[in-house]
Each structure stands twice: as C-alpha cells, then as structure tokens.
C-alpha cells in the first residue's frame, strides 16, 4: 500500500481536446470502442512553459526548438546547435574529444555525476569545439551544452575553449562561441575560477592577431562565464529572451534592497542598456553569423570594415 503511494509514477503530458482528437484510438480490446487515452507518454509532446502551446516533439525540432505560439526559445543540445548552423550539419574536425575531467579536490560523488552525464548526453564534457564551414567559410566554433552539469565552467571546459582559440590563431580563422551556463563549477573550486583568466588571456591574443570573435549568449548565461569570455566578443549576440547576468535576480534584490525591472537580465534589457550588439532570432542566427564571418574574412569585407572603423574614429 505504501509502495503505491510513494512509488515512482510514469510522467505524462496533458493535451487539449483538439490535439487529443488526432491521437489514434486505443487498440486495447478491454477499452470501450471509440475511446482514446487521455494521457500521452512523456516525450511525444511538449508544452511551452511561457504560453502553454502544445507541440509535437518532432514539429518542435523542425522549428529549431522555437515555440510557434510565443517564439519562446527552448534550450538546444550542442549537436542540435551545430546541425542547425554548419554547412554540412556537423564539424569537419572536432578538437580534444577525449579530454575529460578529474576530481582535483576529491569532491564526494563528483566523478559519479560526471559519468552519469556522459551516459545521458554522449559527451565527455559540457562543450564541443572544432572546425566547421559556415556560409562557405571555415571557422572554429565552440558550443556549450547545458545538459552536462548545466554547462558549468570546470577546468576542462576552460581548457577546451583556450585550445580552440589557439587553433583559430594557428589556422587564421574566425572564432564563434555559443555560451549556455550556470557559471563556475563548484566541485573544482578555485581551479574553475582560474578558467576566467585563462580564457580571457587567450582571447586577448586572438584580438592582437586581428581575428574575429563572435560571442553568442543563450539561455541561461550566468556567473563566471558571463563575467569572462562570453562578454568579450567583437560582437556580443544573444537569443531572444535569454537570461544573462552574474548573480541571480533574488541575490541582487536582497543586496541592494530594491525591486528590479521585470525584464531585468533579459537579452532585450541588456540590448537596450548597451551590453549587447544585437538580439537575433534562432531562425536568423545562421544567416547573421555567416554574414559577419564573410564580412571579416573576404578582402572586400575586411577593407569595408576597416574603412568604416576609420570613419567612426574621426
């Protein structure tokens, strides 16, 4: 009896009657003819957390995981992001595939959690880096994946980003980085915080080499990630509605003892206050990035950019 009360129950999604009408009738002969299941197994459909619109999962994927009702941008995995951006739908070369995290501080249960994330995501860490082709131009790209420890920045995440920047310098290629993170990884303590300085120093070398860095912030981008490499782009871009900041809203309100604007830390708020260069819808992201890369890669584009920079300086 207690097992029935507290046992793990299978999760279901509630769907409206008009959607339910399209679900095939049950084939179970014990059920009355013409009756339909009122519950649909989890995974078949998704309910938008903002407007409540019900989507078939396959339709949501075809729409780049954007709600057709309110344009809410669901999170994307790193492989999904790469498939939506690159010319071939995948990297031409992946960097540091076998680079994995140790447990330098002996944090209890940390290695077990990492192993579970590896199984769940089929990734070795919270970021994929490599070379690909975008709009016919070669680029170095990194994409963080929030399914793995909420894409928290540990020593391997920082190392992979740094090595990707070094590859961009060696190959004379633009660097694009998609951030999605809760911040520094607490299980690695100061070693995690050191990645802020290391990645920032690498980006400084990239800048001295006059190579392009585009930072794209997705929901959420917080903590040490937002306070280091994700805010250092030649172009800082965000997806609509992305939450971006250092500390959480509640912590800030308790500290300053003031109520913050309702749209505080949203991409739109940051754009309005000069902390972003643009907010780009996911369906326009590939074209926008391809245009920026082309502008800073082709001779004509570089010359036009330099001429425009000189005009602004005068």
């Amino acid at each position: 009896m207690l097992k029935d009360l507290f046992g793990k129950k299978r999760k279901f999604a509630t769907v409206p009657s008009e959607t339910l009408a399209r679900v095939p009738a049950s084939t179970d002969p014990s059920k009355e003819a013409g009756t339909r299941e009122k519950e649909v197994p989890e995974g078949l459909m998704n309910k938008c957390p903002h407007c409540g619109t019900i989507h078939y999962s396959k339709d949501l994927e075809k729409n780049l995981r954007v709600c057709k009702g309110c344009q809410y941008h669901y999170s994307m995995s790193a492989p999904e992001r790469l498939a939506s951006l690159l010319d071939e739908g995948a990297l031409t070369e992946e960097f540091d595939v076998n680079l994995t995290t140790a447990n330098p501080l002996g944090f209890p249960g940390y290695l077990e959690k990492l192993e579970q994330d590896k199984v769940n995501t089929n990734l070795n860490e919270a970021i994929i880096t490599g070379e690909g082709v975008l709009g016919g131009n070669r680029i170095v790209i990194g994409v963080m994946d929030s399914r793995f420890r909420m894409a928290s920045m540990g020593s391997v995440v920082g190392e992979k980003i740094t090595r990707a920047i070094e590859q961009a310098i060696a190959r004379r290629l633009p660097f694009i980085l998609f951030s999605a993170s809760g911040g520094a990884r607490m299980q690695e303590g100061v070693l995690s915080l050191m990645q802020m300085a290391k990645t920032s120093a690498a980006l400084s070398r990239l800048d001295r080499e006059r190579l392009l860095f585009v930072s794209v912030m997705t929901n959420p981008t917080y903590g040490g990630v937002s306070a280091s490499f994700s805010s250092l782009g030649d172009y800082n871009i965000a997806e609509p509605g992305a939450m971006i900041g250092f500390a959480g809203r509640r912590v800030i309100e308790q500290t300053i003892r003031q109520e913050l604007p309702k749209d505080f830390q949203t991409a739109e708020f940051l754009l309005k206050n000069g902390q972003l260069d643009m907010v780009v819808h996911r369906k326009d992201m590939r074209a926008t990035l391809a245009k920026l890369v082309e502008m800073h890669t082709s001779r004509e584009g570089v010359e036009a950019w330099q001429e425009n920079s000189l005009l602004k300086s005068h």
Side-chain angles (χ1 to χ4, degrees), residues 102-107 110 153-155 183-196:
N103 189 6
L105 303 183
F107 205 94
Y110 182 38
M153 179 181 60
S155 53
R185 190 171 296 180
M186 60 172 283
Q187 293 92 341
E188 296 184 30
V190 71
L191 295 176
S192 175
L193 296 177
M194 288 169 63
Q195 307 311 309
M196 297 172 65

Side-chain angles (χ1 to χ4, degrees), residues 77-88:
S77 68
E80 286 175 329
R81 181 79 64 179
L82 292 168
S84 72
L85 289 170
L86 300 179
D87 289 2
E88 302 298 325

Side-chain angles (χ1 to χ4, degrees), residues 32-267:
E32 295 181 10
T35 61
R36 289 179 169 83
E37 294 285 353
K38 293 184 179 180
E39 294 176 324
V40 179
E42 186 181 35
L44 180 63
M45 293 182 176
N46 283 274
K47 183 178 181 180
C48 176
H50 276 213
C51 69
T53 299
I54 303 295
H55 306 274
Y56 280 106
S57 296
K58 289 185 177 179
D59 291 340
L60 189 62
E61 290 171 9
K62 289 178 182 177
N63 202 42
L64 298 179
R65 297 188 61 78
V66 176
C67 174
K68 290 183 178 179
C70 67
Q71 301 303 302
Y72 170 73
H73 284 49
Y74 287 78
S75 62
M76 292 183 87
S77 68
E80 286 175 329
R81 181 79 64 179
L82 292 168
S84 72
L85 289 170
L86 300 179
D87 289 2
E88 302 298 325
L91 296 169
T92 54
E93 178 187 353
E94 185 174 349
F95 303 151
D96 306 306
V97 180
N98 298 317
L99 200 62
T100 56
T101 302
N103 189 6
L105 303 183
F107 205 94
Y110 182 38
L111 291 178
E112 290 76 12
K113 290 177 180 178
L114 291 173
E115 288 303 318
Q116 188 59 54
D117 278 353
K118 290 177 183 179
V119 172
N120 294 340
T121 64
N122 200 30
L123 301 175
N124 279 336
E125 248 302 337
I127 187 170
I128 295 177
T129 58
E131 182 183 321
V133 180
L134 175 62
N137 290 300
R138 294 167 59 208
I139 61 167
V140 171
I141 187 170
V143 182
M144 302 182 80
D145 196 317
S146 59
R147 299 174 301 161
F148 197 109
R149 297 287 92 204
M150 196 49 225
S152 51
M153 179 181 60
S155 53
V156 169
V157 169
E159 181 67 15
K160 290 187 73 170
I161 291 173
T162 302
R163 291 189 185 190
I165 296 168
E166 291 170 346
Q167 288 287 353
I169 294 172
R171 303 179 189 205
R172 309 300 300 171
L173 296 176
F175 179 49
I176 299 175
L177 180 61
F178 280 80
S179 299
S181 178
R185 190 171 296 180
M186 60 172 283
Q187 293 92 341
E188 296 184 30
V190 71
L191 295 176
S192 175
L193 296 177
M194 288 169 63
Q195 307 311 309
M196 297 172 65
K198 183 167 72 175
T199 53
S200 298
L203 286 172
S204 179
R205 295 197 299 272
L206 187 79
D207 181 62
R208 289 197 298 271
E209 293 292 330
R210 306 293 289 171
L211 293 169
L212 175 68
F213 171 41
V214 181
S215 174
V216 184
M217 289 168 264
T218 65
N219 187 44
T221 300
Y222 270 98
V225 170
S226 71
S228 57
F229 56 82
S230 71
S231 298
L232 296 176
D234 296 308
Y235 295 94
N236 289 326
I237 301 173
E239 289 188 328
M243 299 301 296
I244 302 164
F246 183 70
R249 180 191 187 95
R250 187 184 306 168
V251 173
I252 296 172
E253 286 186 330
Q254 290 174 349
T255 302
I256 66 175
R257 300 181 185 276
Q258 292 181 22
E259 186 176 346
L260 296 168
K262 290 184 179 180
D263 62 345
F264 182 69
Q265 292 188 329
T266 63

